[in-house]
Amino acid sequence: MEEPDFWDKPEESQQTMKTLASLKEDVATYKQLQDQYEEIELLIEMGYEEDDASVLPEIQETLDDFQRTLDDIRIKTLLSGEYDENNAIVTLHAGAGGTESCDWASMLYRMYTRWMEKKGFQLEVLDYLDGEEAGIKSVTFQVNGARAYGYLKAEKGVHRLVRISPFNAAGKRQTSFVSCDVMPVLEQEVDLEINPDELRIDTYRSSGAGGQHINKTSSAIRITHLPTGIVVTCQNERSQFQNKDKAMQMLKTKLLLLREQENAEKVSDIRGEVKEIGWGNQIRSYVMQPYKMVKDLRTGEETGNVDAVMDGAIDPFINSYLKWMSLGGKALEQEA
C-alpha cells in the first residue's frame, strides 16, 4: 500500500483494501478470543480460591460468548469457495397456491431482511412484483456484505410452509411453497459473448416502492435466455438502459456459472428455477400447525422456535449446512 503506484489501478487497490480489512478482522477476533480465554481462567481461579459459587453465572456467560465467537471462526474457515467472499443476489418466487404462496414469499422476504439487519448487510431491491391480492409474487434483491454469498448459498432451494391459512375461511391447514435462488455478484465484468438472437427482451412498468420513476414509464426489463430458459429481471435503476445493463450482468453471471459446471445435476443446483416449486424438492419445512417446528431436510437441523426463525434467526441452519457440505453432504444429497 505504500508503493507510489498503489492507487493507479483502482479495482486492484480496492480488492487489496478489502483483503486487508478481512485480515484485520480475523486478527482482532483472535485477540478477543485470547482475552476471553484468560478472563474465564481468571474467574475460575478466583471462584476456587474464594469458594464463591456466585461467579458461576458470569463464567457461563463469558464461556457462551467465547463459544459463539469460536463457532463463527470455524464457520468462516468453511467459506473457501471461489465466490464465497462476494455479495449475493437472491430471488424469491411464489409457487402454486395463489395468495397463500404470495403471503409465504413476503414472510420469507421479511425473514431475510431481518437476518441482514442483524449481520449489518445492506439491501438493494432489484425487482419486485406484488401478489394479485396480497404478498409478493416475486422479488429479487442484492445483499451487500462480507461473505454474503458464502452464507446465503445455503438458502437455495424450495421452502415449504404448513399452517392454518388466514385466507381460508374454513380454517384448514394449507401447504405453500416458495423457491429461493441465490447467485454471487461477480467483482469483474463477465467476459461472455451472448447471441442477441437467443434473447427475448421485454419491457414493463415498474411496481412496488421506489422513486418518481416507479410506475411512470416502461423502464423495467425482463430478459429470457431462450436456450436455457433462464429469466432475469431488473427495475430498480432509474432508466431502461441501466436496468438492461444490470439484467445482462445477472444473465452473464448465471450463464458463466452454468458453463463452469460439469454435469446436469450441478446445473440444476445453480438454476433454482429448474426445480418444480412443490412436493419433493423442498430443502426446509416450516410447520406452524398443529405443532411448531422448522427443520432442514438436508442436514437434520431443527428448532421449535418458529417465531425466532421468521424474525431472522437462520444462522444455525446456515452453519449446519456449511458443516454438512464440508463433510461431503453434496455427495450424500446426490445419492439421495
Side-chain angles (χ1 to χ4, degrees):
M1 289 174 59
E2 294 177 355
E3 295 294 327
D5 59 348
F6 177 74
W7 292 105
D8 290 351
K9 298 180 179 179
E11 289 187 2
E12 293 182 10
S13 303
Q14 289 173 7
Q15 186 59 41
T16 301
M17 295 294 291
K18 185 177 178 181
T19 302
L20 175 63
S22 178
L23 291 172
K24 283 184 174 181
E25 180 186 348
D26 290 343
V27 172
T29 304
Y30 176 72
K31 182 66 169 61
Q32 176 187 342
L33 282 173
Q34 277 188 318
D35 293 342
Q36 286 180 324
Y37 187 82
E38 292 173 2
E39 182 182 353
I40 292 170
E41 284 189 319
L42 180 60
L43 287 170
I44 293 174
E45 187 178 336
M46 288 173 55
Y48 273 122
E49 288 180 355
E50 301 176 12
D51 195 21
D52 183 9
S54 65
V55 299
L56 287 175
E58 185 178 356
I59 293 174
Q60 187 63 55
E61 183 180 351
T62 307
L63 182 60
D64 290 343
D65 190 36
F66 176 89
Q67 188 64 53
R68 281 192 294 269
T69 305
L70 184 60
D71 286 343
D72 287 342
I73 289 180
R74 285 173 173 164
I75 292 303
K76 281 183 65 175
T77 65
L78 301 179
L79 298 176
S80 57
E82 183 177 359
Y83 306 115
D84 283 355
E85 292 286 332
N86 295 22
N87 297 329
I89 292 178
V90 181
T91 300
L92 299 176
H93 281 294
T99 302
E100 177 67 21
S101 292
C102 290
D103 189 52
W104 176 220
S106 68
M107 292 167 65
L108 283 177
Y109 179 55
R110 179 186 179 278
M111 181 184 80
Y112 289 125
T113 56
R114 292 294 186 272
W115 175 80
M116 284 182 272
E117 289 171 3
K118 294 174 182 178
K119 285 286 186 182
F121 290 166
Q122 294 180 327
L123 169 70
E124 179 184 353
V125 178
L126 302 178
D127 190 69
Y128 192 102
L129 181 61
D130 286 311
E132 293 181 4
E133 296 181 17
I136 301 171
K137 194 168 185 179
S138 68
V139 60
T140 300
F141 54 95
Q142 183 166 320
V143 183
N144 299 321
R147 297 172 289 277
Y149 177 72
Y151 291 118
L152 285 169
K153 66 184 181 183
E155 298 302 294
K156 186 184 333 184
V158 176
H159 297 247
R160 169 179 173 249
L161 171 69
V162 179
R163 67 169 178 175
I164 296 176
S165 172
F167 306 101
N168 188 320
K172 293 182 179 179
R173 274 192 303 154
Q174 189 162 333
T175 301
S176 306
F177 300 94
V178 168
S179 72
C180 177
D181 188 27
V182 185
M183 60 184 286
V185 178
L186 302 188
E187 300 291 338
Q188 298 179 342
E189 181 70 25
V190 179
D191 184 18
L192 186 68
E193 292 294 329
I194 299 178
N195 185 350
D197 294 336
E198 296 179 342
L199 301 178
R200 186 176 74 239
I201 301 177
D202 302 307
T203 60
Y204 59 98
R205 291 195 176 188
S206 303
S207 63
Q212 294 181 356
H213 65 295
I214 295 291
N215 289 323
K216 298 295 183 182
T217 60
S218 296
S219 60
I221 292 289
R222 180 188 298 109
I223 301 178
T224 304
H225 187 248
L226 300 176
T228 62
I230 293 176
V231 179
V232 292
T233 56
C234 185
Q235 62 167 296
N236 186 59
E237 306 298 337
R238 298 195 64 85
S239 71
Q240 186 182 113
F241 175 80
Q242 290 172 311
N243 281 324
K244 182 178 179 181
D245 186 55
K246 182 72 175 182
M248 283 298 296
Q249 290 179 33
M250 293 165 61
L251 176 60
K252 286 182 177 181
T253 299
K254 282 204 169 191
L255 290 174
L256 178 64
L257 293 174
L258 286 171
R259 192 175 68 177
E260 289 177 353
Q261 306 311 307
E262 296 178 353
N263 56 58
E265 178 138 1
K266 289 184 178 179
V267 168
S268 296
D269 289 338
I270 291 293
R271 288 183 55 206
E273 59 271 79
V274 167
K275 291 187 176 182
E276 179 186 350
I277 310 176
W279 290 101
N281 297 316
Q282 63 265 22
I283 62 164
R284 193 177 301 150
S285 289
Y286 305 71
V287 182
M288 297 185 177
Q289 280 98 13
Y291 55 90
K292 290 183 177 292
M293 177 69 70
V294 180
K295 182 172 183 178
D296 196 290
L297 305 179
R298 301 162 299 181
T299 66
E301 180 75 21
E302 63 181 46
T303 177
N305 194 346
V306 179
D307 293 338
V309 173
M310 298 314 300
D311 204 34
I314 59 174
D315 280 324
F317 294 101
I318 292 174
N319 294 349
S320 63
Y321 173 83
L322 293 172
K323 292 175 184 176
W324 176 71
M325 287 293 288
S326 72
L327 296 173
K330 194 65 178 176
L332 294 174
E333 184 183 44
Q334 289 176 354
E335 290 173 6

